[in-house]
Amino acid sequence: MQKPIPRQWLLSNTSKYRRFDPRAIVNAMQFLRDDNFRLMIVSQDYPGDWNEKERWYGTDYRVQKIPVEVQEDFKKALSAAAKDRPVDLHLPHRNEFIPTRLDVEKSDTKEHAKTPKLLRNDDKMRLWWKKDDSFWVPKAN
């Protein structure tokens, strides 16, 4: 059973950090080391010689040690000065899609929408949309 939460926590629940703690960030960064990580390569088109199969979905995969030369490249990149580091090696940028205003704009409707609208349907995804015109509460899945 879910616990009641304040309305302003509706989207984030307890997963959002409520106060900025620079020491916690510095402490967490100490765990990002060249000898302490897992590398996962995910691709729909990667032609690999898989030697294992995942038991529930039957997905082929392979587990192997990271080659020494790749580990050395990581070590070199992590120890380099910021200006010499590869441009793609950085912390994530600010996520502009995280909402800051959670108010729902109410508008009187004569008849509530019964079904969602299909906005996108292709080989990658199906995207449906239905405005909540009954409860007026923002929701995301």
Side-chain angles (χ1 to χ4, degrees):
M1 180 152 203
Q2 294 180 352
K3 296 178 182 177
I5 59 170
R7 183 176 177 82
Q8 65 270 22
W9 291 13
L10 201 60
L11 293 180
S12 63
N13 199 348
T14 58
S15 62
K16 178 182 174 185
Y17 294 105
R18 305 280 169 206
R19 70 181 166 82
F20 180 69
D21 187 352
R23 273 196 243 154
I25 294 171
V26 170
N27 187 37
M29 293 293 291
Q30 303 308 311
F31 293 102
L32 297 177
R33 300 189 322 256
D34 60 281
D35 63 338
N36 181 22
F37 69 95
R38 178 180 296 181
L39 176 65
M40 298 177 79
I41 300 174
V42 179
S43 173
Q44 292 180 340
D45 303 322
Y46 187 75
D49 58 338
W50 315 118
N51 61 353
E52 297 189 51
K53 189 176 281 280
E54 190 270 335
R55 77 172 155 168
W56 289 283
Y57 297 103
T59 304
D60 295 322
Y61 71 98
R62 178 181 195 87
V63 176
Q64 64 187 52
K65 295 269 187 199
I66 298 173
V68 174
E69 56 272 5
V70 173
Q71 287 180 342
E72 288 172 359
D73 287 344
F74 287 145
K75 187 178 284 194
K76 180 179 171 189
L78 289 171
S79 63
K83 64 180 179 55
D84 300 326
R85 213 172 282 148
V87 292
D88 292 333
L89 183 62
H90 59 79
L91 292 173
H93 298 294
R94 181 178 180 274
N95 187 343
E96 63 186 80
F97 299 106
I98 295 176
T100 55
R101 187 178 62 85
L102 300 179
D103 301 331
V104 177
E105 295 176 10
K106 282 189 175 183
S107 60
D108 291 329
T109 55
K110 294 178 183 173
E111 190 174 323
H112 296 307
K114 303 242 186 301
T115 59
K117 294 179 184 176
L118 182 61
L119 298 180
R120 181 173 173 180
N121 187 11
D122 57 33
D123 59 338
K124 298 282 184 196
M125 67 184 276
R126 265 192 301 185
L127 177 64
W128 297 85
W129 175 79
K130 180 182 177 292
K131 184 173 181 77
D132 177 7
D133 53 9
S134 301
F135 302 104
W136 301 102
V137 176
K139 182 179 179 183
N141 290 334

